[in-house]
């Protein structure tokens, strides 16, 4: 699955609150491949190698939990992702359907 996702980092590894200055929203082209959610700056091209930054932004979604971010009302279509290393991200999808589809696909990993 792939599509545009806008990310906010809420907690870093071990659940520590992401500090100010790193809590902003950032738009990515997201690709879910196997157990990895790749977040790339540019549109996905199958023949293009991943950059250093792309690899750094990639999120392991094995044993992660995606839910609707029902406690976050500033933006619509936002899902919450808790990873197995206790990071927390908010991801804004382009529509309600896209959000539901990402939640289902991530939780199937
Ligand atoms: C954050 C940025 C986010 C905001 C967050 C700020 O600043 O303005 O958009 O979240 O508020 O800390 P920075 O880019 O300097 O990290 P919202 O869009 O959800 O308000 P927060 O600290 O209350 O999460």
């Amino acid at each position: 699955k792939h599509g545009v996702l806008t990310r906010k980092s809420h907690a870093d590894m071990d659940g520590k609150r992401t500090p100010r200055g790193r809590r902003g929203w950032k738009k990515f082209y997201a690709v879910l491949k196997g157990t990895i959610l790749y977040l790339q700056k540019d549109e996905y091209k199958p023949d293009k190698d991943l950059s250093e930054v792309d690899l750094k932004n990639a999120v392991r979604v094995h044993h992660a939990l995606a839910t609707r971010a029902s406690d976050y009302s500033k933006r619509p279509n936002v899902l919450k992702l808790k990873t197995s290393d206790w990071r927390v991200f908010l991801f804004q999808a382009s529509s309600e359907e896209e959000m539901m589809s990402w939640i289902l696909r991530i939780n199937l990993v």
Side-chain angles (χ1 to χ4, degrees):
K1 172 161 180 69
H2 49 103
V4 173
L5 283 180
T6 306
R7 179 201 69 190
K8 176 185 177 179
S9 180
H10 181 71
D12 296 339
M13 235 185 269
D14 302 325
K16 281 200 198 122
R17 185 185 164 90
T18 300
R20 288 223 187 95
R22 286 206 294 109
R23 299 181 60 82
W25 289 92
K26 206 170 165 192
K27 191 171 168 180
F28 290 98
Y29 199 78
V31 181
L32 182 61
K33 240 196 209 170
T35 62
I36 312 274
L37 179 65
Y38 294 96
L39 298 167
Q40 296 176 243
K41 243 174 71 186
D42 303 309
E43 185 121 354
Y44 173 68
K45 296 196 193 80
D47 50 344
K48 198 174 153 262
D49 282 343
L50 292 164
S51 72
E52 206 61 30
V53 178
D54 292 338
L55 290 172
K56 221 188 81 198
N57 281 326
V59 181
R60 274 192 299 267
V61 294
H62 189 52
H63 291 158
L65 180 69
T67 55
R68 180 194 294 270
S70 45
D71 54 350
Y72 188 85
S73 55
K74 289 184 189 174
R75 290 177 178 229
N77 313 321
V78 176
L79 68 91
K80 183 184 278 188
L81 180 72
K82 289 189 187 186
T83 68
S84 60
D85 57 2
W86 304 105
R87 293 195 282 171
V88 180
F89 297 103
L90 298 180
F91 286 108
Q92 182 182 25
S94 55
S95 66
E96 163 86 16
E97 287 107 307
E98 271 295 289
M99 181 200 69
M100 290 309 297
S101 161
W102 278 111
I103 289 174
L104 286 171
R105 292 296 299 272
I106 288 168
N107 289 336
L108 278 176
V109 168

